[in-house]
Amino acid sequence: MTSELTVARGRGSQPRPPRRSDNDDSGGRAALGWRDRLTHLDVRFSPYLFIAPFFLLFAIVGLFPLLYTAYVSLFDWELGGDEQPFVGLENYVTLMTDSQFWNAMVNTLSIFVLSSGPQVVVAVLLAALLNTALRARTAWRMGVLLPYVASLVALTIIFANLFGPQYGLVNNLLELVGLDRIDWQAERWWSHVAIATMVNWRWTGYNALIVLAAMQAIPRDVYEAAVVDGASAARRFFSITLPMLRPTIIFVVVTSTIGGLQIFTEPKMFAPAGSSSGGSTNQYQTVVLYMYQSGFQSFDLGYASAMAWVLFVVIIAIAGINFLLTRRIASSGED
Amino acid sequence: MREKRPGLMVYGPLIAFILGSAFPFYWSFLVASHDDAEFTANPSLLPGGNFFVNAGRVLDSIPFWKALGNSIIVSGTVTVSVVVLSSLAGFAFAKLRFRGRGPLLVFVVATLAVPTQLGIVPLYMAMAEFGWSGTLGAVIVPNLVTAFGVFWMRQYIADAVPDELVEAARMDGCSMIRTFWHVGLPAVRPAAAMLGVFTFMTSWNDFLWPLIVLNAENPTMQVALEKLQSGYYVDNSLVLAGTTMATVPVLIVFLVLGRQIVAGIMQGAVKG
C-alpha cells in the first residue's frame, strides 16, 4: 500500500504546468506578490489543516489516555480517594496472581474462538448460496444482514431471554425434542456457547457479504476452464473458490480479533439485574467486563488501568502475529 | 457459462437462515405483547394484545423519549462530523501534495489497530475534571473523526476524483478549501453516504463508554435499556417491550437504506 501511495502522484508521471505561470500573464506586481504569498501559504499549510482534526483528536482522546493509563496503573488510585500513593508495579504483580483475571482472560479467548470459527464456516457457505443466480438478490442480501443493524444491547437482552434457564425458549425446545435442559447462565462452557451464539448471529451475515464480494471478484474463466475439464460443482468450490478466498477469510478473522478480544456488551447484558460479575462464579466474565467492574464499580482505577494495559499488549501481540501470518499466507498464495 | 436458476437446495437454507435472523426480533415483540406471568405459563407463537400496556410501562420506567432524542442527537452529530472531517482529511491524503504524506497516512492506518477503548480510565478522569460527565458532549467529542473514516474516504477519493480536475481548479485560482468544496465534495457523495450510515450505526450501538460517563437521567438509548433490564425483579414483557421500541427506528432505517448498506459492505470488502 505504501508503494501505491508514493506512485499515485509521482513527480515525473505527467507533464505539469509550471508552478508560477500565473506570475507572467498579468500586471500589478505588488498586489500579485501579496496574493502569491497567500496562495503559497495556502498550498503549503492547508493540507496539514485538513488532516489536523484527526491527529489532534487521536492525540487527545486516543493516544494520551492510553499512555496515561500506564501512568495510573502505577498508583493505588481510588476513584474519589484523597490521595493516590505510588505503588510501582504492585498492580501488575497482583494482577498476575489474580485468578479472576486469568479466568476472565480464558473466558475471553474461549468466547472468541467459539465465535470466530463457526462464523467463518457458515459465512462462506452462506456466501456460496448467495452467489447463485437468485431472484431479487438484493432482498436476500438485506435479509442476511438484518441482525447486523439491530442494537447490540437490545439483542443481548432478547438472547438472554431466549437462553433463560427456567422459562427460556431454547430450553423448552430442548425438552421438546427429549434433551436435557441446560443452565445457560450457570455452566461455564454453555454460557460461552450462548454468548458466542449472539456474536455469531450478529456477524455471520455481514461476513457472508464480504466473502460474497470476494467470490464475485474471482475471474469467470477460471470456472469455465474447470467445467470444460469436467470438475464437479463441489470440486470447483474446494479447488478454486476456497483457495482464492483465503486472503478474504484471513481478513475477516483479523478484523474480528481486535473487537472480539474487547467483548463487553454481550457478557454484561447476559447477566441479570445489572451485575458485572459475569455470573455467580465469574464463569463468563471477560477481561473488559472485569476491567469495568474493577474501575467503575469497585472504583479501583489503578488496578483497572493495569488490566487495560495487559489486554492492550495482548491485543497488539495477537494483531501482530495475525499480520505476519497474513503476509506469509497471502504471499505463499500468490506463488 | 449460463447458470441455471437455483432450486430448493439454495432457497431452502437461505430462507431458514433469514427466518433465524428475524426470529429474535419477532420473539421480542411476542413477549412484549403479552402479560409476563401469563406468557410464562402459556407460551404462544401468536402476538397478544398487551403491547401498548407494556409500552406505556416502559415510558413510565425509563426516560424513553429523552433517550431516543439523545441517541439521535449524539449519532447525528457524530455522523455529520465524521463524514465532513474524514472527507477533508481523505481529500488531502488522496489529492494534495505535502511533506510527510506517506508516513502520516501509514500512521492513520496503524491507529486502526489500536484498541483506544482501553483508555477509558483517564478519559473518564478527564471528563470528570472538566465537568463533562453526564453530558452528551462527553460521548460526542471523542468520536468526532475516526481513522476508519479518513482511510475509507482517502481510498475512495483517490479513484473518484481525477487529478486533472483538482489541477484545473487550482489553475483557476481556487484556494485549497474551495477546491475541496467544489471538486472533492461533489464526487465523494456515495462513499460519504456509506460512511455516514456505518458511523451512525456504530455510534447508535456504542455502549461501554456511554454507560460509564452518562447517568440514568440523561441516557442514550442503550444506557436506558440497560437500566430497564437491571431492575431486581425482571419483568420480561416490560424489558422486551423496551427493546422492541428501541429496535423499531433502526429497522425503519434499515428498510430505507438497506440496499446502500449492502453495497457499502461489499464495496469495502473489495477495497480492503
Side-chain angles (χ1 to χ4, degrees):
Chain A
M1 191 194 61
T2 23
S3 62
E4 181 216 340
L5 296 181
T6 41
V7 173
R9 266 176 66 100
R11 260 171 194 268
S13 58
Q14 274 167 351
R16 196 173 276 291
R19 271 210 141 174
R20 303 207 169 260
S21 60
D22 43 344
N23 260 353
D24 309 330
D25 54 12
S26 44
R29 292 270 151 207
L32 252 185
W34 173 79
R35 279 196 58 176
D36 247 13
R37 223 168 309 159
L38 211 62
T39 309
H40 181 68
L41 285 178
D42 181 37
V43 169
R44 186 114 187 245
F45 293 108
S46 286
Y48 295 107
L49 281 182
F50 291 1
I51 63 171
F54 168 77
F55 287 92
L56 271 180
L57 194 74
F58 179 75
I60 296 171
V61 303
L63 197 58
F64 171 73
L66 269 180
L67 296 176
Y68 202 72
T69 302
Y71 176 76
V72 175
S73 73
L74 302 176
F75 293 82
D76 181 9
W77 201 308
E78 299 268 333
L79 190 62
D82 289 337
E83 52 188 59
Q84 293 93 22
F86 178 82
V87 293
L89 293 176
E90 201 183 288
N91 282 324
Y92 291 93
V93 173
T94 316
L95 195 60
M96 289 302 113
T97 54
D98 180 353
S99 62
Q100 192 177 349
F101 173 72
W102 291 111
N103 168 65
M105 192 62 98
V106 171
N107 290 345
T108 306
L109 293 174
S110 162
I111 291 170
F112 173 65
V113 170
L114 281 172
S115 57
S116 53
Q119 196 182 127
V120 170
V121 176
V122 178
V124 171
L125 294 177
L126 194 59
L129 293 177
L130 288 169
N131 198 24
T132 53
L134 294 169
R135 291 172 199 281
R137 64 169 66 157
T138 305
W140 291 104
R141 290 174 189 175
M142 276 176 66
V144 302
L145 195 63
L146 187 61
Y148 169 70
V149 298
S151 100
L152 201 48
V153 173
L155 284 178
T156 311
I157 293 176
I158 298 171
F159 270 89
N161 180 275
L162 286 170
F163 281 110
Q166 284 177 322
Y167 307 108
L169 180 73
V170 176
N171 268 347
N172 286 346
L173 288 179
L174 284 180
E175 206 171 44
L176 202 67
V177 296
L179 295 171
D180 285 337
R181 304 174 74 89
I182 293 168
D183 194 332
W184 297 98
Q185 300 263 357
E187 289 179 47
R188 189 179 188 193
W189 165 257
W190 288 118
S191 66
H192 295 186
V193 171
I195 290 172
T197 305
M198 301 176 205
V199 180
N200 289 330
W201 185 83
R202 184 173 163 81
W203 289 102
T204 303
Y206 175 89
N207 284 325
L209 289 185
I210 289 182
V211 175
L212 173 63
M215 275 184 185
Q216 294 184 336
I218 299 175
R220 270 260 173 269
D221 46 359
V222 183
Y223 286 109
E224 280 162 25
V227 171
V228 171
D229 290 346
S232 68
R235 183 70 205 277
R236 293 200 298 269
F237 181 76
F238 284 106
S239 299
I240 300 174
T241 313
L242 269 192
M244 294 193 86
L245 285 181
R246 196 159 50 176
T248 308
I249 292 173
I250 294 166
F251 168 79
V252 167
V253 173
V254 171
T255 49
S256 65
T257 311
I258 298 166
L261 295 177
Q262 294 182 73
I263 186 169
F264 169 76
T265 307
E266 290 91 341
K268 167 85 176 98
M269 298 304 296
F270 192 52
S275 152
S276 294
S277 55
S280 50
T281 53
N282 313 118
Q283 62 269 27
Y284 52 91
Q285 186 173 51
T286 58
V287 177
V288 175
L289 185 55
Y290 186 31
M291 179 180 102
Y292 171 81
Q293 189 187 25
S294 307
F296 298 98
Q297 294 192 328
S298 312
F299 305 120
D300 194 345
L301 294 180
Y303 198 53
S305 296
M307 217 180 299
W309 252 90
V310 172
L311 183 60
F312 176 76
V313 171
V314 168
I315 289 177
I316 295 292
I318 293 183
I321 293 169
N322 268 332
F323 176 73
L324 293 177
L325 222 61
T326 315
R327 265 221 318 219
R328 259 189 64 186
I329 296 174
S331 58
S332 71
E334 276 164 22
D335 295 336
Chain B
M1 184 174 71
R2 256 299 27 102
E3 279 179 89
K4 24 182 216 302
R5 287 280 172 189
L8 201 63
M9 287 293 289
V10 170
Y11 283 112
L14 273 181
I15 289 172
F17 188 88
I18 289 175
L19 284 181
S21 297
F23 182 75
F25 295 106
Y26 181 67
W27 178 256
S28 170
F29 173 68
L30 207 59
V31 178
S33 65
H34 285 270
D35 176 73
D36 191 33
E38 175 214 300
F39 188 76
T40 309
N42 285 313
S44 145
L45 280 178
L46 293 177
N50 256 16
F51 181 74
F52 289 103
V53 177
N54 290 326
R57 289 161 61 220
V58 170
L59 298 182
D60 292 339
S61 311
I62 53 170
F64 181 84
W65 299 115
K66 179 153 201 191
L68 187 66
N70 280 348
S71 274
I72 291 173
I73 292 171
V74 170
S75 303
T77 314
V78 167
T79 301
V80 171
S81 166
V82 165
V83 168
V84 171
L85 294 179
S86 299
S87 303
L88 203 55
F91 178 75
F93 275 123
K95 293 294 159 188
L96 303 180
R97 224 160 9 135
F98 54 94
R99 281 180 67 132
R101 184 176 72 165
L104 286 173
L105 184 57
V106 170
F107 182 83
V108 172
V109 175
T111 64
L112 278 171
V114 177
T116 48
Q117 182 174 249
L118 298 178
I120 48 175
V121 167
L123 204 54
Y124 177 79
M125 295 183 341
M127 292 296 175
E129 188 77 24
F130 296 145
W132 278 25
S133 29
T135 68
L136 295 186
V139 286
I140 292 176
V141 171
N143 297 308
L144 285 177
V145 56
T146 60
F148 171 77
V150 173
F151 184 60
W152 167 269
M153 293 313 293
R154 187 257 160 213
Q155 296 301 81
Y156 186 84
I157 293 172
D159 297 338
V161 181
D163 285 351
E164 293 74 29
L165 215 56
V166 179
E167 215 56 70
R170 301 282 309 127
M171 293 308 293
D172 286 349
C174 275
S175 64
M176 287 291 186
I177 190 76
R178 286 192 45 175
T179 307
F180 167 72
W181 193 257
H182 293 293
V183 178
L185 265 194
V188 305
R189 238 180 259 153
M194 286 166 199
L195 178 61
V197 171
F198 288 121
T199 307
F200 192 90
M201 289 195 315
T202 310
S203 173
W204 187 271
N205 275 323
D206 201 9
F207 181 54
L208 174 58
W209 176 239
L211 181 66
I212 288 171
V213 83
L214 296 182
N215 53 48
E217 286 77 47
N218 191 28
T220 57
M221 202 68 230
Q222 314 303 326
V223 176
L225 284 181
E226 197 270 343
K227 302 295 175 221
L228 189 64
Q229 194 238 20
S230 61
Y232 280 100
Y233 168 71
V234 175
D235 180 334
N236 291 308
S237 294
L238 172 69
V239 175
L240 291 184
T243 62
T244 305
M245 289 158 70
T247 305
V248 169
V250 194
L251 283 183
I252 293 174
V253 171
F254 180 63
L255 286 178
V256 176
L257 296 174
R259 183 180 290 267
Q260 279 82 351
I261 302 175
V262 167
I265 292 173
M266 293 185 61
Q267 201 169 326
V270 174
K271 284 187 194 272

